[in-house]
Amino acid sequence: MTSSLHDLLNARPAKEVWHEVCLRLADLDEEQLAAIAPRVLAWPAQQRPMPDDWWAQWTAGDVRPHHSLAGVRHLGNLHVDEDEDEGFDEASFSYGATAVAAPSDLSWVALGAAAEWHHNGGDIIRWSTVERGRVTWFLNGGDYHDEPHDMQVSPDGRIVVTSVEGRLHAWSAETGDELWTLPERSGSEDEDEDEDDYEDDESVGLDDIVRIGFSGDGRRVAIGTCGSGRITVLEAETGRVVLSVPAEQESFGPVALDARGQLLAHTAPNGRVVVREVDSGGVQADVPTKLSIVNAIVMAPDGTSAFAVGATADDAGPAVQLLTLGSSPAAGELIRPAELPVEIDTNSVVATSGTRAVWTDRGPYAFVTADKGSALFDSAARTLWADPNRQVVSFTADGRAMVTVGETIEAWFLTGLVIPDDDRPE
């Protein structure tokens, strides 16, 4: 069997050959899979689509070791023909998508459409990747004139949060029912003091990019605005404000929480990253970085490290730094992706709203995007994936997959993008 598998992997990548490879991979134990993995990963990721039987297991929560060798799963097309039963004919994606989010099992995706600037805002829906054509509505674009730019799903897949027209919205992912909005709509007579604190004196404008991050346990969600400079931590289920950072402290998004929602990381002027204890609001660390722009942050689950993605003042290309937190906070060496095959200008509005970071079992990854391309790279500066077009992206909370939306919707499996040892630069 092993010899046969090696022969298949020596062949030119093709659909029929990959099908046979998958049949044999499913029969291997973990030790055998580890031995053959470099040979499999040498095939381009797009030539390793996840087969239907593996996909059925994955979306049912039955993730198996051999699944890690799949590269991609095609989920659907954003623009579909009339004879295709994708379900998008119920929602308008005429101008593309501006936001996407997905649970770890990838059984559905939440999609935010680009606004029709002279008419409707962007529709926001949940679209099933298992039952094609099944759509759950969160927000109809005919009711507003904005579009979402960051949308996140709680790690347990129960809650979807985004922001449009200066309001945060949280919905039940299962039913589409709205759980809460902040600030509450005018005319409400039962706003509590916490909601008044959130509303403050300065409204969030349409051009004020909002960034969102859940705690690993899903109990709390952090909100940061990139223009008006608001940092807030809320209870995810109720919208009750747990922490509101005073505006005079010059804090702004992006934001990240640790696994238990006890620590909050956010940006501050001059490329600083500030870490606070959520319950007290006290500053635990204030770390100067070499980055002049920070477009994304992610914290290690245990809160001992953070990963900042942005750029330096002298170079618009992407750069990252690993930050050590705790009693002696410090920033590590500046890291730039090696041999980046696309052009990324991190000073663009697209980069500000579209940069993402995730902490996986293999460490942190950064996704960067601009008008002329998108790329994924790790903390060792290895470019793992790239596309010559702008892509809208979200990582699953478990760090196993990245969902990209351009003309098509794809799920990329991060372990399937690992560079084999023989191909790593010296």
Side-chain angles (χ1 to χ4, degrees):
M1 178 182 295
T2 303
S3 176
S4 176
L5 180 54
H6 278 280
D7 290 342
L8 288 168
L9 291 171
N10 283 333
R12 182 176 180 178
K15 182 178 179 179
E16 296 77 12
V17 177
W18 175 242
H19 174 74
E20 293 297 323
V21 169
C22 289
L23 292 176
R24 287 160 174 75
L25 291 176
D27 291 331
L28 302 183
D29 60 30
E30 292 193 41
E31 184 176 347
Q32 291 171 318
L33 283 171
I36 201 67
R39 298 289 307 281
V40 179
L41 295 172
W43 279 33
Q46 62 268 29
Q47 298 289 340
R48 290 182 277 113
M50 179 174 279
D52 291 345
D53 55 340
W54 295 15
W55 177 245
Q57 292 165 345
W58 184 289
T59 55
D62 182 15
V63 179
R64 304 189 182 190
H66 55 273
H67 294 170
S68 66
L69 297 178
V72 65
R73 175 75 184 190
H74 176 69
L75 302 183
N77 300 314
L78 198 61
H79 305 291
V80 299
D81 297 329
E82 292 182 1
D83 58 348
E84 292 187 53
D85 185 22
E86 298 282 4
F88 291 131
D89 56 336
E90 301 177 30
S92 175
F93 285 85
S94 301
Y95 297 92
T98 58
V100 63
S104 295
D105 66 10
L106 294 172
S107 61
W108 54 271
V109 293
L111 291 166
E116 302 172 10
W117 286 109
H118 298 292
H119 301 285
N120 296 339
D123 293 332
I124 303 176
I125 63 170
R126 163 183 162 158
W127 177 71
S128 174
T129 63
V130 178
E131 301 175 54
R132 292 300 177 92
R134 181 181 174 185
V135 169
T136 300
W137 281 84
F138 296 130
L139 200 62
N140 190 306
D143 298 331
Y144 70 108
H145 299 282
D146 194 12
E147 58 193 13
H149 288 282
D150 192 357
M151 186 157 49
Q152 298 293 330
V153 174
S154 60
D156 59 11
R158 294 177 53 247
I159 300 172
V160 176
V161 175
T162 194
S163 172
V164 290
E165 289 191 337
R167 293 186 187 280
L168 297 172
H169 294 260
W171 298 282
S172 163
E174 181 178 1
T175 66
D177 293 335
E178 192 165 71
L179 301 177
W180 48 266
T181 61
L182 285 176
E184 290 189 349
R185 293 177 176 85
S186 60
S188 173
E189 297 179 356
D190 57 358
E191 290 182 347
D192 61 29
E193 292 181 0
D194 289 329
E195 288 158 353
D196 288 338
D197 288 344
Y198 182 84
E199 193 160 3
D200 206 348
D201 297 327
E202 185 180 358
S203 63
V204 179
L206 296 183
D207 296 328
D208 195 352
I209 295 171
V210 175
R211 301 303 299 273
I212 303 165
F214 275 94
S215 59
D217 60 12
R219 292 189 309 111
R220 290 175 170 176
V221 60
I223 310 295
T225 62
C226 297
S228 58
R230 294 181 181 180
I231 300 291
T232 312
V233 179
L234 314 165
E235 287 184 351
E237 193 78 32
T238 65
R240 185 182 73 84
V241 176
V242 179
L243 170 66
S244 182
V245 178
E248 59 268 19
Q249 296 195 19
E250 296 185 300
S251 303
F252 53 93
V255 290
L257 292 166
D258 69 349
R260 297 187 301 144
Q262 299 297 309
L263 296 176
L264 163 73
H266 63 79
T267 49
N270 303 315
R272 291 162 34 231
V273 172
V274 177
V275 179
R276 297 176 184 269
E277 296 177 350
V278 173
D279 292 331
S280 68
V283 174
Q284 185 187 78
D286 190 332
V287 188
T289 73
K290 296 179 181 178
L291 304 171
S292 57
I293 301 171
V294 177
N295 290 327
I297 306 173
V298 65
M299 292 188 73
D302 62 6
T304 61
S305 304
F307 184 63
V309 186
T312 61
D314 60 347
D315 188 344
V320 301
Q321 280 189 282
L322 275 166
L323 313 179
T324 302
L325 308 177
S327 58
S328 301
E333 293 297 317
L334 197 67
I335 301 168
R336 296 187 183 278
E339 299 180 358
L340 195 64
V342 292
E343 183 178 340
I344 304 292
D345 181 357
T346 53
N347 291 314
S348 69
V349 174
V350 171
T352 301
S353 62
T355 300
R356 297 289 183 267
V358 64
W359 204 289
T360 77
D361 292 341
R362 298 157 302 285
Y365 288 6
F367 169 83
V368 291
T369 188
D371 290 329
K372 297 182 180 180
S374 306
L376 175 76
F377 61 96
D378 64 11
S379 59
R382 297 174 300 188
T383 300
L384 306 176
W385 174 94
D387 189 276
N389 302 298
R390 174 187 175 186
Q391 297 282 332
V392 176
V393 157
S394 185
F395 293 104
T396 56
D398 61 5
R400 292 180 184 268
M402 173 181 75
V403 177
T404 63
V405 182
E407 289 295 320
T408 63
I409 309 168
E410 316 287 344
W412 299 87
F413 303 99
L414 299 187
T415 50
L417 302 179
V418 172
I419 300 173
D421 288 335
D422 292 344
D423 293 340
R424 291 177 184 173
E426 297 182 359

